[in-house]
Amino acid sequence: NAGVTQTPKFQVLKTGQSMTLQCAQDMNHNSMYWYRQDPGMGLRLIYYSASEGTTDKGEVPNGYNVSRLNKREFSLRLESAAPSQTSVYFCASRVGGYSYEQYFGPGTRLTVT
Amino acid sequence: QKEVEQDPGPLSVPEGAIVSLNCTYSNSAFQYFMWYRQYSRKGPELLMYTYSSGNKEDGRFTAQVDKSSKYISLFIRDSQPSDSATYLCAMSLDYKLSFGAGTTVTVRA
Protein backbone atom coordinates (compact mmCIF):
# COMPACT_ATOMS: atom_id res chain seq x y z
CA ASN A 1 0.00 0.00 0.00
CA ALA A 2 1.28 3.47 -0.88
CA GLY A 3 -0.85 5.09 1.86
CA VAL A 4 -1.50 8.77 1.10
CA THR A 5 0.15 10.18 -2.00
CA GLN A 6 0.32 13.81 -3.09
CA THR A 7 1.28 15.46 -6.35
CA PRO A 8 3.20 17.55 -7.14
CA LYS A 9 5.96 17.51 -4.52
CA PHE A 10 7.08 21.05 -5.35
CA GLN A 11 5.47 23.92 -7.23
CA VAL A 12 6.28 27.56 -7.91
CA LEU A 13 3.45 29.83 -9.03
CA LYS A 14 3.19 33.46 -9.93
CA THR A 15 0.59 35.60 -8.19
CA GLY A 16 -2.79 35.14 -9.84
CA GLN A 17 -2.06 31.73 -11.35
CA SER A 18 -4.24 28.76 -10.51
CA MET A 19 -3.38 25.17 -9.73
CA THR A 20 -4.79 21.98 -8.25
CA LEU A 21 -3.04 19.87 -5.64
CA GLN A 22 -3.88 16.20 -5.92
CA CYS A 23 -4.26 13.70 -3.09
CA ALA A 24 -5.09 10.00 -3.22
CA GLN A 25 -5.29 7.26 -0.59
CA ASP A 26 -5.43 3.52 -1.08
CA MET A 27 -6.52 2.56 2.44
CA ASN A 28 -10.26 2.68 1.76
CA HIS A 29 -10.60 5.53 4.23
CA ASN A 30 -13.82 7.52 4.41
CA SER A 31 -12.55 10.90 5.62
CA MET A 32 -9.93 13.12 4.03
CA TYR A 33 -8.36 16.43 5.06
CA TRP A 34 -6.25 19.27 3.68
CA TYR A 35 -3.88 21.18 5.97
CA ARG A 36 -1.31 23.88 5.49
CA GLN A 37 1.82 24.13 7.63
CA ASP A 38 3.56 27.44 8.22
CA PRO A 39 6.52 28.18 10.52
CA GLY A 40 5.36 28.87 14.06
CA MET A 41 1.71 28.14 13.18
CA GLY A 42 1.58 24.37 13.19
CA LEU A 43 -0.84 22.56 10.93
CA ARG A 44 -4.10 24.36 10.17
CA LEU A 45 -7.13 22.69 8.63
CA ILE A 46 -8.24 24.14 5.30
CA TYR A 47 -11.07 21.81 4.25
CA TYR A 48 -12.17 18.31 5.05
CA SER A 49 -14.45 15.65 3.65
CA ALA A 50 -16.08 13.44 6.26
CA SER A 51 -17.28 11.02 3.59
CA GLU A 52 -17.54 10.74 -0.16
CA GLY A 53 -19.85 13.45 -1.45
CA THR A 54 -19.43 15.87 1.46
CA THR A 55 -16.98 18.70 2.08
CA ASP A 56 -16.75 21.28 4.86
CA LYS A 57 -14.66 24.31 5.67
CA GLY A 58 -11.92 24.15 8.24
CA GLU A 59 -10.08 26.91 10.04
CA VAL A 60 -8.52 28.68 7.00
CA PRO A 61 -10.67 28.04 3.87
CA ASN A 62 -10.43 31.44 2.17
CA GLY A 63 -8.78 31.30 -1.25
CA TYR A 64 -9.23 27.55 -1.64
CA ASN A 65 -11.74 25.12 -3.06
CA VAL A 66 -11.89 21.35 -2.81
CA SER A 67 -13.37 18.43 -4.68
CA ARG A 68 -13.92 14.94 -3.33
CA LEU A 69 -13.69 13.23 -6.70
CA ASN A 70 -14.40 9.75 -5.35
CA LYS A 71 -13.60 7.82 -2.19
CA ARG A 72 -9.88 7.72 -3.01
CA GLU A 73 -9.21 11.25 -4.22
CA PHE A 74 -9.51 14.70 -2.66
CA SER A 75 -8.12 17.71 -4.54
CA LEU A 76 -7.36 21.25 -3.39
CA ARG A 77 -7.60 24.12 -5.85
CA LEU A 78 -6.11 27.59 -5.65
CA GLU A 79 -8.06 29.73 -8.12
CA SER A 80 -5.87 32.84 -7.92
CA ALA A 81 -2.70 32.21 -5.96
CA ALA A 82 -1.39 34.84 -3.54
CA PRO A 83 2.01 35.07 -1.79
CA SER A 84 0.19 34.41 1.52
CA GLN A 85 -0.56 30.92 0.21
CA THR A 86 3.14 30.03 0.16
CA SER A 87 3.20 27.03 2.48
CA VAL A 88 3.58 23.28 2.77
CA TYR A 89 0.30 21.51 2.10
CA PHE A 90 -0.52 18.14 3.62
CA CYS A 91 -3.33 15.79 2.81
CA ALA A 92 -4.49 13.28 5.41
CA SER A 93 -7.04 10.51 5.62
CA ARG A 94 -8.96 8.76 8.40
CA VAL A 95 -10.78 5.47 8.23
CA GLY A 96 -13.93 7.07 9.69
CA GLY A 97 -16.38 5.99 12.36
CA TYR A 98 -14.94 6.28 15.87
CA SER A 99 -11.32 6.17 14.69
CA TYR A 100 -9.48 9.42 15.22
CA GLU A 101 -6.06 8.57 13.75
CA GLN A 102 -5.14 10.54 10.64
CA TYR A 103 -2.50 9.36 8.16
CA PHE A 104 -0.57 12.05 6.37
CA GLY A 105 0.92 12.31 2.91
CA PRO A 106 4.46 13.59 2.21
CA GLY A 107 3.35 17.15 1.46
CA THR A 108 3.50 19.64 -1.40
CA ARG A 109 5.82 22.64 -1.06
CA LEU A 110 4.21 25.60 -2.79
CA THR A 111 5.86 28.96 -3.38
CA VAL A 112 3.87 31.88 -4.78
CA THR A 113 5.98 34.77 -6.07
CA GLN B 1 -5.29 33.12 21.88
CA LYS B 2 -4.58 29.88 20.08
CA GLU B 3 -6.48 26.81 21.24
CA VAL B 4 -3.27 24.80 21.56
CA GLU B 5 0.00 26.32 22.73
CA GLN B 6 3.35 24.58 22.31
CA ASP B 7 6.82 25.97 22.92
CA PRO B 8 8.58 25.79 19.54
CA GLY B 9 12.03 25.36 21.10
CA PRO B 10 14.37 24.44 19.57
CA LEU B 11 15.54 21.87 22.07
CA SER B 12 19.03 20.34 21.90
CA VAL B 13 20.00 17.48 24.22
CA PRO B 14 22.89 14.99 24.44
CA GLU B 15 22.27 11.37 23.51
CA GLY B 16 20.80 9.44 26.44
CA ALA B 17 19.08 12.45 28.01
CA ILE B 18 15.38 12.65 28.81
CA VAL B 19 13.43 14.91 26.46
CA SER B 20 10.42 16.66 27.95
CA LEU B 21 7.81 18.28 25.69
CA ASN B 22 4.52 19.86 26.63
CA CYS B 23 1.42 21.64 25.38
CA THR B 24 -1.38 23.55 26.99
CA TYR B 25 -4.87 23.94 25.62
CA SER B 26 -7.92 26.08 26.26
CA ASN B 27 -10.84 24.00 24.94
CA SER B 28 -12.02 21.57 27.59
CA ALA B 29 -14.13 19.75 24.97
CA PHE B 30 -11.10 18.12 23.33
CA GLN B 31 -11.59 14.36 23.38
CA TYR B 32 -8.32 12.72 22.33
CA PHE B 33 -4.74 13.82 22.79
CA MET B 34 -1.99 12.84 20.42
CA TRP B 35 1.67 13.33 19.66
CA TYR B 36 2.91 13.29 16.10
CA ARG B 37 6.54 13.09 15.01
CA GLN B 38 7.64 14.84 11.85
CA TYR B 39 11.03 14.30 10.30
CA SER B 40 12.45 17.03 8.11
CA ARG B 41 10.57 17.38 4.82
CA LYS B 42 8.21 14.51 5.66
CA GLY B 43 4.58 14.23 6.70
CA PRO B 44 3.63 13.86 10.38
CA GLU B 45 3.24 10.33 11.76
CA LEU B 46 1.28 9.39 14.85
CA LEU B 47 3.55 8.54 17.77
CA MET B 48 1.19 8.17 20.71
CA TYR B 49 -2.38 8.90 21.68
CA THR B 50 -4.40 8.93 24.85
CA TYR B 51 -7.95 9.63 25.85
CA SER B 52 -8.05 10.01 29.60
CA SER B 53 -5.98 11.79 32.21
CA GLY B 54 -2.94 9.85 33.37
CA ASN B 55 0.15 8.27 31.86
CA LYS B 56 0.62 5.98 28.89
CA GLU B 57 3.92 4.27 28.09
CA ASP B 58 5.17 2.85 24.82
CA GLY B 59 8.79 1.78 24.95
CA ARG B 60 10.95 4.86 25.56
CA PHE B 61 7.96 7.20 25.18
CA THR B 62 5.52 8.31 27.88
CA ALA B 63 2.50 10.50 27.21
CA GLN B 64 0.87 12.29 30.10
CA VAL B 65 -2.46 14.13 30.18
CA ASP B 66 -3.80 16.35 32.95
CA LYS B 67 -7.29 17.42 31.93
CA SER B 68 -7.84 19.46 35.07
CA SER B 69 -4.86 21.67 34.18
CA LYS B 70 -5.39 21.39 30.40
CA TYR B 71 -1.81 20.23 30.01
CA ILE B 72 -0.22 17.35 28.11
CA SER B 73 3.36 16.12 28.04
CA LEU B 74 5.58 13.73 26.14
CA PHE B 75 8.73 12.27 27.65
CA ILE B 76 11.41 10.49 25.64
CA ARG B 77 13.81 8.41 27.72
CA ASP B 78 17.31 7.41 26.61
CA SER B 79 17.04 9.74 23.63
CA GLN B 80 18.79 8.74 20.40
CA PRO B 81 19.98 10.80 17.43
CA SER B 82 17.19 9.13 15.44
CA ASP B 83 14.71 10.94 17.74
CA SER B 84 15.78 14.25 16.19
CA ALA B 85 12.56 15.59 14.68
CA THR B 86 9.74 18.05 15.23
CA TYR B 87 7.14 16.85 17.70
CA LEU B 88 3.59 18.13 17.32
CA CYS B 89 0.87 17.80 19.90
CA ALA B 90 -2.64 17.45 18.51
CA MET B 91 -6.09 17.35 20.04
CA SER B 92 -9.25 15.95 18.55
CA LEU B 93 -12.75 17.32 18.64
CA ASP B 94 -15.41 15.81 16.37
CA TYR B 95 -12.62 14.01 14.47
CA LYS B 96 -10.92 17.25 13.49
CA LEU B 97 -7.43 17.88 14.83
CA SER B 98 -6.03 21.08 16.34
CA PHE B 99 -2.24 21.15 16.37
CA GLY B 100 0.38 22.89 18.40
CA ALA B 101 3.14 24.73 16.53
CA GLY B 102 5.60 21.87 17.05
CA THR B 103 8.86 21.62 19.03
CA THR B 104 12.05 20.87 17.11
CA VAL B 105 14.31 18.46 18.98
CA THR B 106 17.94 17.68 18.19
CA VAL B 107 19.67 14.80 19.98
CA ARG B 108 23.46 15.22 19.79
CA ALA B 109 25.57 12.06 19.47
Side-chain angles (χ1 to χ4, degrees):
Chain A
N1 283 355
V4 180
T5 56
Q6 293 183 237
T7 55
K9 287 186 168 47
F10 303 93
Q11 185 70 49
V12 178
L13 290 178
K14 293 187 189 305
T15 297
Q17 287 184 320
S18 62
M19 79 160 296
T20 299
L21 282 65
Q22 306 286 355
C23 174
Q25 52 90 9
D26 62 1
M27 298 176 283
N28 201 34
H29 285 179
N30 289 303
S31 303
M32 298 184 74
Y33 305 79
W34 275 107
Y35 295 88
R36 61 178 288 173
Q37 186 174 35
D38 303 292
M41 301 292 291
L43 285 147
R44 291 181 293 167
L45 182 64
I46 304 171
Y47 269 94
Y48 67 101
S49 171
S51 60
E52 187 179 354
T54 69
T55 59
D56 283 290
K57 295 178 181 179
E59 182 185 353
V60 288
N62 291 346
Y64 305 96
N65 283 301
V66 290
S67 295
R68 183 75 183 266
L69 304 168
N70 49 54
K71 191 171 185 180
R72 289 187 64 247
E73 297 171 289
F74 188 38
S75 62
L76 179 72
R77 183 159 178 84
L78 287 69
E79 290 291 351
S80 179
S84 60
Q85 294 177 305
T86 293
S87 188
V88 183
Y89 291 85
F90 288 100
C91 177
S93 70
R94 183 177 69 88
V95 65
Y98 292 106
S99 170
Y100 52 84
E101 182 174 356
Q102 294 186 18
Y103 296 82
F104 285 80
T108 294
R109 292 183 174 272
L110 175 68
T111 302
V112 183
T113 60
Chain B
Q1 184 193 2
K2 292 172 66 173
E3 277 193 314
V4 181
E5 298 280 358
Q6 181 177 8
D7 186 342
L11 201 57
S12 179
V13 301
E15 184 174 357
I18 295 175
V19 176
S20 173
L21 305 165
N22 54 73
C23 290
T24 58
Y25 62 95
S26 57
N27 190 346
S28 57
F30 284 132
Q31 297 155 321
Y32 290 94
F33 304 89
M34 286 154 269
W35 288 95
Y36 278 80
R37 178 174 62 195
Q38 185 177 23
Y39 290 115
S40 182
R41 297 184 174 266
K42 301 288 187 186
E45 56 178 342
L46 183 65
L47 195 58
M48 293 191 70
Y49 68 92
T50 187
Y51 174 74
S52 57
S53 284
N55 293 355
K56 182 175 181 178
E57 276 194 32
D58 183 1
R60 296 185 294 111
F61 299 88
T62 299
Q64 196 173 74
V65 173
D66 182 346
K67 286 189 174 183
S68 63
S69 301
K70 298 191 183 71
Y71 187 90
I72 70 170
S73 300
L74 178 71
F75 301 96
I76 308 174
R77 290 184 299 281
D78 187 26
S79 58
Q80 305 294 310
S82 58
D83 294 326
S84 297
T86 297
Y87 291 81
L88 302 140
C89 62
M91 305 181 189
S92 175
L93 178 61
D94 296 331
Y95 306 107
K96 291 180 286 184
L97 297 180
S98 294
F99 285 85
T103 301
T104 299
V105 174
T106 300
V107 180
R108 309 185 306 272

